[in-house]
Amino acid sequence: MAKKHGLLAELHYQSQQAERRKLQAGQQAYREQQQRQREYEKAVKDWERAQGLAAKATTAERKAAEAAAKQARVAAQEAEVAERNAALANTFAEIDGLLQATLAVDDFVDLEELRQQVEHPPFPHPELESSTPPPQAPQPPSVPVWEEPPSSGGLFGKKKHAEQVAAARQAFEAAYAAWEQHIVDLQRWEQQARAHWEEGERYRLARLEEARAGYTAECAQREQQVEEANASLDELIAGLAYGVDSTVQEYVAIVLANSAYPDSFPVSHDHVFDAATGELTLTVSIPGPTEVPSVKAWRYTKATDAITPTPLPAREHKDRYANAVLHVALRTLHEVFEADRSGHIRTVATTVGTTALDPATGRDGFVPLALVAADRETFMSFDLANVVPAATLKHLGGVMSRSPVDLVAVDTGAAVRGRN
């Protein structure tokens, strides 16, 4: 059997899940469930808040607080029942509508939509791309200039002038020596600061080179992955045009991956295509009957503060599960034939079943519950929106378990129309 998903099928499957959830959100039963979920969560918070107030209340206040907490508890339990029942209704609507859910959808997959484009994220370390400004030394002070004191004249003036010159000379020399030392200190600071800046720049550039090398490698890897994926897509498109077994199988995997079943009823497929006969053989695995709810509704009894289930009538549970088997069988045939516009698949032989414990061996085994096969021309002439699935299965010569809910297997050796 072919794998459930190839690479392209898996990519398409993941992209379709968001779209399925978007469509699901628009359904009335789903919206009702979500509303009841929000109401339940609010009621629980109100009850917890009321409990907290009751615990902190004084003796005089406690009676009223406890009554409020009790009332909030009842509201929370009733909200939970409403939420559970809304979830049940949504689940039943999903299971009962398995066939109808696919009829409004074109199951053809345009493979060109799977072609990928390279998308690179921004360089993750832009801070390394900008250098820091080099250090700037402070403006040095002006060089001291010798200015001789003016002479006052006369005998005593000459002596005083000489003393003034000597003092001025001493002050000038001291100022000049200080200026020279300041210049030396500035030069030393500038050399040290420059050396520190250059070391920082070398470190930054080394980190930048390393980061760019890593980023370039990651970009190259992304480009290679996209190139390989698109090359595989080209091979698939080319092979599908000629009806090559493997490419038809991969295309069917993509189509079936696109068939998004509800979370309440997950389905998986295995298949193999024989190009010589044009027949696709499909095995569809569905949940067992115990995984389909057997509860009709939930109810709350205030006297016991208990939430209890009301069992679904056995006949209703049995009919729902049997109908689900039929819906899956017809839905699978419809999706495959509608998607295969090239007409490579002439007949489809489908087995629908589930995995269950075999009492004879004590091991899990596949239990076939329905067999049906159809040729393209016959099946595509049906109006599935108006058929009775059981009658359609019979018309196609298919066989159905006499009791799917009891896991009574069909005879896999039975003659089924469409088989060679």
Side-chain angles (χ1 to χ4, degrees):
M1 289 292 180
K3 292 182 178 180
K4 178 185 174 184
H5 298 310
L7 173 61
L8 294 172
E10 182 62 26
L11 289 173
H12 194 58
Y13 171 77
Q14 295 299 333
S15 71
Q16 291 300 314
Q17 295 313 295
E19 186 64 24
R20 180 184 67 81
R21 293 186 180 95
K22 181 179 179 181
L23 292 173
Q24 182 189 49
Q27 296 171 356
Q28 179 61 35
Y30 180 79
R31 292 198 303 270
E32 177 73 14
Q33 178 189 352
Q34 295 302 299
Q35 176 63 26
R36 294 292 174 259
Q37 174 68 25
R38 290 190 291 271
E39 292 173 356
Y40 165 62
E41 292 171 354
K42 180 181 181 301
V44 169
K45 290 180 180 178
D46 291 344
W47 171 50
E48 292 173 345
R49 188 181 303 110
Q51 281 185 309
L53 292 174
K56 298 176 182 178
T58 64
T59 303
E61 298 169 334
R62 185 168 294 122
K63 186 173 183 180
E66 288 177 348
K70 183 176 181 180
Q71 184 177 0
R73 169 66 177 180
V74 171
Q77 293 290 75
E78 289 175 343
E80 181 174 357
V81 166
E83 190 277 330
R84 290 192 187 186
N85 286 334
L88 267 179
N90 182 54
T91 296
F92 289 152
E94 289 178 335
I95 295 174
D96 294 343
L98 289 175
L99 178 57
Q100 292 297 324
T102 195
L103 298 183
V105 178
D106 184 357
D107 296 297
F108 171 74
V109 176
D110 183 357
L111 294 177
E112 283 295 337
E113 293 182 356
L114 300 183
R115 193 168 299 282
Q116 300 182 40
Q117 300 291 332
V118 180
E119 295 182 3
H120 296 307
F123 180 61
H125 296 287
E127 73 282 359
L128 297 176
E129 295 182 308
S130 300
S131 63
T132 56
Q136 296 294 327
Q139 188 68 25
S142 300
V143 60
V145 177
W146 163 253
E147 292 184 4
E148 185 174 320
S151 173
S152 58
L155 179 62
F156 294 103
K158 289 183 178 180
K159 183 178 179 181
K160 186 177 180 181
H161 179 253
E163 290 173 353
Q164 290 175 339
V165 169
R169 175 64 64 182
Q170 184 177 5
F172 168 75
E173 290 176 352
Y176 194 86
W179 176 83
E180 286 183 323
Q181 185 60 49
H182 190 71
I183 294 300
V184 170
D185 291 342
L186 281 179
Q187 291 173 344
R188 184 182 298 114
W189 176 88
E190 187 174 13
Q191 289 174 353
Q192 291 175 346
R194 185 79 185 187
H196 181 72
W197 174 79
E198 289 175 349
E199 181 182 355
E201 279 297 284
R202 284 193 296 271
Y203 177 68
R204 178 186 69 82
L205 292 172
R207 288 187 60 202
L208 177 60
E209 183 179 0
E210 181 181 356
R212 279 180 173 166
Y215 178 70
T216 300
E218 291 172 359
C219 290
Q221 183 178 15
R222 280 186 288 269
E223 290 169 358
Q224 181 179 358
Q225 289 173 345
V226 168
E227 184 178 347
E228 290 175 353
N230 288 338
S232 296
L233 180 62
D234 289 334
E235 291 179 7
L236 176 59
I237 293 173
L240 187 61
Y242 291 99
V244 177
D245 298 47
S246 59
T247 55
V248 173
Q249 289 187 174
E250 178 67 4
Y251 178 71
V252 170
I254 294 172
V255 171
L256 296 177
N258 192 35
S259 176
Y261 280 80
D263 294 337
S264 58
F265 203 86
V267 167
S268 61
H269 308 83
D270 283 313
H271 61 280
V272 64
F273 176 66
D274 183 355
T277 62
E279 179 163 280
L280 180 73
T281 303
L282 263 165
T283 300
V284 189
S285 297
I286 65 172
T290 58
E291 297 175 63
V292 174
S294 58
V295 174
K296 181 178 182 180
W298 295 91
R299 62 188 181 90
Y300 171 59
T301 304
K302 188 183 298 185
T304 59
D305 190 36
I307 296 175
T308 55
T310 298
L312 191 70
R315 169 57 62 181
E316 188 173 341
H317 184 251
K318 179 179 180 180
D319 290 346
R320 173 168 284 115
Y321 189 71
N323 284 332
V325 174
L326 291 166
H327 284 205
V328 170
L330 297 183
R331 171 173 170 162
T332 303
L333 291 172
H334 167 77
E335 289 171 340
V336 170
F337 281 134
E338 184 175 66
D340 179 32
R341 290 184 181 175
S342 299
H344 297 304
I345 301 171
R346 295 193 290 273
T347 59
V348 177
T350 302
T351 302
V352 179
T354 189
T355 299
L357 186 69
D358 186 338
T361 65
R363 294 179 176 275
D364 282 339
F366 184 77
V367 181
L369 300 174
L371 304 177
V372 61
D375 65 89
R376 169 185 294 276
E377 184 177 359
T378 298
F379 191 82
M380 293 302 285
S381 68
F382 297 165
D383 181 1
L384 294 182
N386 296 311
V387 302
V388 175
T392 304
L393 186 81
K394 183 177 181 181
H395 178 75
L396 291 171
V399 292
M400 176 80 171
S401 166
R402 67 176 183 273
S403 182
V405 77
D406 295 317
L407 298 178
V408 176
V410 296
D411 179 9
T412 55
V416 177
R417 185 183 303 172
R419 291 186 182 277
N420 295 320

